[in-house]
Amino acid sequence: MSQLATIDAVLGNLKQEAMTLEQVWQDFWLVWQQLGWNLAQVKLWLLCQPSVQIQQASNGEQAFQIKCAQTNDKVNLGDELVALLEKAGRPMPLSQLISKLPAGRVVTEPMLRTAAQHDARLELKGPLLKLV
């Protein structure tokens, strides 16, 4: 199993139920061993995840859970780009579009180019993306 797949498994479990740091550490010990992470690194990783919400567990400890079920679902990047371009009312450079996407969304220019090429509503003109 790849490292990315193992991390996705952890996030998938947090999507289903809130877990304390100790539960995450114990339930996924093999993942952390493969990555060479200690408990402090796992806590830091959880705190840095934009989709993870911190709650108080019944025993007073911090519990981690995915904010909402749709956060991890695939969102159509083409739809997001169309909405941004409609709002702007003009063609925009890809680099500027990246900064306009929702916080926590990690996207590269090649990803934007691919999404634009697969969406009939979008057209690339040099460095600019525009609506057809």
Side-chain angles (χ1 to χ4, degrees):
M1 188 180 281
S2 74
Q3 290 180 348
L4 184 59
T6 56
I7 292 291
D8 282 344
V10 174
L11 291 175
N13 201 8
L14 290 176
K15 190 175 180 181
Q16 297 170 7
E17 64 176 319
M19 299 176 75
T20 65
L21 178 62
E22 198 60 38
Q23 288 173 315
V24 173
W25 177 254
Q26 290 176 358
D27 290 358
F28 297 97
W29 65 271
L30 187 58
V31 172
W32 313 128
Q33 184 180 26
Q34 288 174 343
L35 294 171
W37 289 5
N38 62 34
L39 186 61
Q41 289 170 308
V42 172
K43 183 176 182 178
L44 178 62
W45 175 75
L46 285 169
L47 292 171
C48 292
Q49 297 304 303
S51 61
V52 173
Q53 179 179 1
I54 303 167
Q55 308 168 342
Q56 284 295 94
S58 56
N59 61 2
E61 291 184 49
Q62 287 182 333
F64 301 90
Q65 186 171 21
I66 299 294
K67 286 181 188 170
C68 63
Q70 62 186 348
T71 303
N72 274 358
D73 292 344
K74 297 236 183 234
V75 176
N76 187 338
L77 189 54
D79 291 340
E80 287 187 44
L81 293 173
V82 168
L84 287 172
L85 290 171
E86 285 174 344
K87 184 177 178 181
R90 61 179 173 80
M92 294 177 69
L94 294 176
S95 58
Q96 190 176 8
L97 284 166
I98 290 173
S99 67
K100 301 278 186 196
L101 290 169
R105 185 81 191 261
V106 180
V107 180
T108 62
E109 281 195 32
M111 290 169 70
L112 290 183
R113 286 186 186 284
T114 302
Q117 291 167 348
H118 288 89
D119 195 310
R121 301 169 292 173
L122 299 169
E123 182 180 10
L124 280 166
K125 288 284 187 177
L128 298 177
L129 184 63
K130 68 177 213 165
L131 294 170
V132 176

